[in-house]
Amino acid sequence: MDQKLKVGILGGTGMVGQRFVSLLENHPWFEVVTVAASPRSAGKTYEEAVGSRWKMTTPMPEAVKGLIVKNVNDVEEVAAGVDFVFSAVDMTKDEIKAIEEAYAKTETPVVSNNSAHRWTKDVPMVVPELNPEHLEVIAAQKERLGTERGFIVVKPNCSIQSYTPALHALKEFGPKVVVATTYQAISGAGKNFQDWPEMVDNIIPYIGGEEEKSEQEPLRIWGKVVDGEIVKASTPVITTQCIRVPVSDGHTAAVFVSFDKKPSKEEILKAWAEFNGLPQELELPSAPKQFIKYFEEDNRPQAKLDRDYEKGMGITLGRLREDIVYDYKFVGLSHNTVRGAAGGAVLIAELLKAQGYIQVK
Ligand SMILES: N[C@@H](CC=O)C(=O)O
């Protein structure tokens, strides 16, 4: 077996960082050797730095407990010991842009969960099943950064995963208008019910910046590569409302859609059942075997029952029916901190390794 790639996690003590640590336990290709975080945590063991803030349902992996957390701002030092990094840093957008570029310039590829670079024209924003061809722009990005192996790739916002794959699978019918209301779990805000008691028995009809991301990011995913840049698609028109609901994990979306060529219900179900992408073809370690699953039962998908479908990497759908205003309506669900965050980033890194973009330094 090939030597495992040495991985650093930037922002490893926060909730998404913890999810990276858990998902990478016993990963066949990657080994976490470095965790970096704010100066406040630096110098402590990972176990001390996280302390009672460990939010995963599985125990903290033994292999990381004793790692001495490094200062994420000591870029050269952190980069020296790793082949690539995952980024879940919690800083301002400008600071994130700068620090991710600084890591890339040390010839360390960065796979980021952050939104800062999602609209940087030569930074691919990828869902590996949907737009792996966008990785092409890495060549132009390296030229801009003056690097040989360092670059940045980002994953999109968690909310879009509950409806974008379903619409992508129906592209041949030309989705033209999409209305989606998302019901987003509290882990999306990095919280659980203990640290956010206001969310018990409550709904909050506002998530800052979320509607813009939910409307615009699918268009970038469906964009084209033109001269080393991603040019976003102009259709479909997407309008959303994003609502915080009292669910621990799992973002649900209620979706209405009209098409240029209205498909039959059977055609839609067939397209969903048959849809797969490059991760399935390449049998990447974190790829769900069946990416999209449709439930015939009227009361599915449910966050509690279905968010862990395919270890949280699959998308579940249900309630497809014709609508009196739009062509169809349906409900989608995805695990926001697995497929929608750390798991989606791990799958990107697996694709990058399989395609030779990241290798042992
Ligand atoms: N911005 C999202 C993060 C995804 O889980 C949210 O607030 O839910």
Side-chain angles (χ1 to χ4, degrees):
M1 196 178 62
D2 285 354
Q3 193 184 336
K4 285 194 186 183
L5 295 180
K6 295 194 181 79
V7 174
I9 301 175
L10 312 180
T13 55
M15 194 167 199
V16 176
Q18 292 176 24
R19 183 65 78 180
F20 275 120
V21 163
S22 315
L23 290 176
L24 293 169
E25 186 179 19
N26 303 319
H27 190 283
W29 297 354
F30 307 143
E31 180 185 2
V32 179
V33 296
T34 297
V35 176
S38 66
R40 204 177 49 248
S41 299
K44 298 180 183 164
T45 65
Y46 185 67
E47 190 173 23
E48 285 163 358
V50 174
S52 60
R53 293 181 298 122
W54 181 254
K55 292 196 169 93
M56 302 296 105
T57 49
T58 50
M60 184 182 284
E62 287 302 321
V64 296
K65 281 185 177 173
L67 289 180
I68 302 296
V69 176
K70 294 189 173 159
N71 181 344
V72 72
N73 301 311
D74 293 339
V75 177
E76 296 285 340
E77 189 197 325
V78 174
V82 298
D83 295 313
F84 74 99
V85 292
F86 289 107
S87 172
V89 287
D90 184 13
M91 298 174 172
T92 66
K93 208 164 172 172
D94 285 344
E95 287 168 342
I96 294 172
K97 275 190 172 174
I99 201 164
E100 290 184 348
E101 282 206 6
Y103 273 93
K105 284 182 177 164
T106 66
E107 302 293 3
T108 307
V110 179
V111 181
S112 178
N113 185 62
N114 296 305
S115 64
H117 275 296
R118 285 190 194 146
W119 291 93
T120 305
K121 286 188 180 300
D122 56 12
V123 171
M125 177 171 77
V126 173
V127 176
E129 283 86 350
L130 309 192
N131 62 335
E133 72 282 2
H134 285 193
L135 296 180
E136 261 178 57
V137 300
I138 287 173
Q141 189 195 143
K142 284 181 180 169
E143 212 168 299
R144 172 175 62 87
L145 296 174
T147 57
E148 277 177 21
R149 73 185 293 286
F151 59 85
I152 303 164
V153 176
V154 296
K155 51 154 290 299
N157 195 47
C158 51
S159 61
I160 77 164
Q161 262 93 179
S162 49
Y163 54 93
T164 307
L167 296 170
H168 186 88
L170 305 176
K171 262 177 95 181
E172 61 175 301
F173 306 110
K176 64 177 182 205
V177 180
V178 175
V179 180
T181 303
T182 60
Y183 301 89
Q184 301 194 199
I186 61 173
S187 57
K191 301 230 184 347
N192 58 24
F193 288 109
Q194 266 162 337
D195 25 65
W196 204 0
E198 186 190 358
M199 277 310 300
V200 176
D201 190 25
N202 201 7
I203 277 180
I204 297 182
Y206 175 69
I207 305 174
E210 199 72 357
E211 287 165 3
E212 192 188 2
K213 290 176 190 165
S214 304
E215 290 166 3
Q216 292 300 315
E217 290 187 9
L219 298 176
R220 190 162 201 253
I221 296 284
W222 291 320
K224 288 209 171 357
V225 178
V226 181
D227 297 333
E229 296 185 350
I230 313 291
V231 178
K232 79 169 185 174
S234 53
T235 56
V237 173
I238 306 175
T239 178
T240 65
Q241 292 202 76
C242 298
I243 296 179
R244 190 71 72 196
V245 295
V247 164
S248 57
D249 287 311
H251 286 1
T252 299
V255 184
F256 297 81
V257 55
S258 288
F259 297 92
D260 288 330
K261 286 178 285 162
K262 183 179 174 183
S264 66
K265 191 173 172 193
E266 292 65 38
E267 284 175 313
I268 294 179
L269 293 177
K270 183 166 180 291
W272 283 343
E274 290 177 356
F275 181 74
N276 268 321
L278 198 50
Q280 286 70 33
E281 259 172 58
L282 297 172
E283 298 184 13
L284 298 178
S286 303
K289 297 248 170 325
Q290 176 72 35
F291 184 32
I292 296 177
K293 176 181 168 71
Y294 182 78
F295 284 103
E296 291 293 345
E297 296 88 329
D298 279 340
N299 62 356
R300 306 284 283 278
Q302 289 181 26
K304 207 166 180 173
L305 295 181
D306 303 316
R307 61 191 166 212
D308 291 325
Y309 165 65
E310 290 274 15
K311 300 193 177 133
M313 290 297 285
I315 311 296
T316 50
L317 305 175
R319 304 218 62 216
L320 175 67
R321 61 237 193 261
E322 289 201 51
D323 184 54
I324 55 168
V325 177
Y326 300 91
D327 287 343
Y328 286 96
K329 50 191 167 189
F330 65 91
V331 173
L333 168 73
S334 76
H335 197 305
N336 56 301
T337 66
V338 183
R339 167 58 77 163
V346 171
L347 190 61
I348 293 174
E350 291 170 358
L351 180 61
L352 289 168
K353 179 189 177 317
Q355 297 200 322
Y357 286 98
I358 52 178
Q359 61 293 101
V360 176
K361 254 183 190 168

